[in-house]
Amino acid sequence: MRRLLTLWVLGLGALAQVPVGQVATRDVHALLWLPDGRLLFGHHDGIQASEDEGRTWRDLVRKTGFDAMGLVLERDRILAAGHWVLSESRNGGRTWRNLRPRGLPALDLHGYAASGGLHFALEATHGYFVSEDGGKTFKSTAPKGLPKAGMAAMVFQGKTLYVAPMGQGLYQSPDGGQTFTQVPTPEREIYALAAGAGTLYLGGKTGLWQRTPAGWKRLWQGTVLALAAHPQEAGRLVFIDGQGRVWKLP
């Protein structure tokens, strides 16, 4: 009887939680929550913005092949990195400028993170690259302890860089991407990472997870393709599932 009651209560909780919106694109790649409250969503043909936490979306960039696989906020600029795309906006996404940094042999970028002038990138053919001047110049790097990958989710949490090579779990680096150690995680297939208010979150094939001092806590069950944490308010998240539905926590 106690088990039946527990399942009934859990079922009520699941029914009470409904998606707030839907995205309709070919691909779901990246989410970014800006300090002004807007959400940016990167997909295969551009970038969309939401001013109501994911309920409705409008185009910021609509261009075939503008594949925004990663969206990064660094100080006053937004960076979009992806398949043959590396662009920046310094006016909240209204206009964009293509970047051609020195040292990157190609711009097929399958992972990108930036913090305080330090940039870390994964180029699909040529591997990992690091920049110490805000992305103006890059140099090739072979990070100790980080496996090779064709695609990876990346995020800085303070000075610590987290990288999740596709299908290979999670790794952390305290020294800007020079050396990495593996972080135990509840699943190896990780699609998205987010750091908000001192907390690390990951989205993968089976759920949305929060890192706590006691270990990983599952916040939601199901596939999470893109994830964003509120830049100031702890615990507030928006994510997109495998069917393109937009969810908000809490």
Side-chain angles (χ1 to χ4, degrees), residues 164-165 167-171 182-193 202-209 216 218 220-224:
Q168 301 183 71
L170 180 65
Y171 295 78
Q182 190 164 20
V183 179
T185 55
E187 58 179 295
R188 293 179 60 84
E189 198 73 28
I190 299 169
Y191 303 140
L193 296 172
L202 70 82
K205 189 174 183 179
T206 67
L208 170 64
W209 304 85
W216 291 94
R218 178 146 56 185
W220 187 84
Q221 185 170 347
T223 299
V224 175

Side-chain angles (χ1 to χ4, degrees), residues 33-76:
W33 208 331
L34 298 177
D36 65 10
R38 289 180 303 149
L39 283 167
L40 299 189
F41 164 53
H43 58 94
H44 188 78
D45 294 318
I47 301 172
Q48 293 185 325
S50 174
E51 297 179 355
D52 52 14
E53 298 185 352
R55 293 176 179 83
T56 59
W57 299 88
R58 63 178 178 84
D59 285 332
L60 280 184
V61 178
R62 171 63 68 171
K63 182 179 179 181
T64 300
F66 192 101
D67 197 345
M69 295 184 68
L71 293 171
V72 177
L73 179 65
E74 187 191 34
R75 299 190 180 97
D76 65 339

Side-chain angles (χ1 to χ4, degrees), residues 128-149:
Y128 296 105
F129 290 79
V130 64
S131 170
E132 297 178 351
D133 59 4
K136 297 177 183 177
T137 60
F138 282 84
K139 61 181 179 181
S140 179
T141 183
K144 182 179 179 181
L146 184 63
K148 294 180 180 180

Side-chain angles (χ1 to χ4, degrees), residues 115-132:
S115 178
L118 181 64
H119 290 214
F120 194 81
L122 172 61
E123 207 285 325
T125 301
H126 302 279
Y128 296 105
F129 290 79
V130 64
S131 170
E132 297 178 351

Side-chain angles (χ1 to χ4, degrees), residues 154-230:
M154 301 181 183
V155 72
F156 275 96
Q157 183 183 34
K159 295 183 178 180
T160 301
L161 172 62
Y162 290 92
V163 176
M166 186 62 70
Q168 301 183 71
L170 180 65
Y171 295 78
Q172 65 180 11
S173 170
D175 54 13
Q178 298 180 51
T179 60
F180 284 83
T181 57
Q182 190 164 20
V183 179
T185 55
E187 58 179 295
R188 293 179 60 84
E189 198 73 28
I190 299 169
Y191 303 140
L193 296 172
T199 302
L200 181 69
Y201 301 91
L202 70 82
K205 189 174 183 179
T206 67
L208 170 64
W209 304 85
Q210 175 187 358
R211 194 180 189 186
T212 74
W216 291 94
K217 175 184 178 182
R218 178 146 56 185
L219 304 178
W220 187 84
Q221 185 170 347
T223 299
V224 175
L225 297 181
L227 169 64
H230 193 282

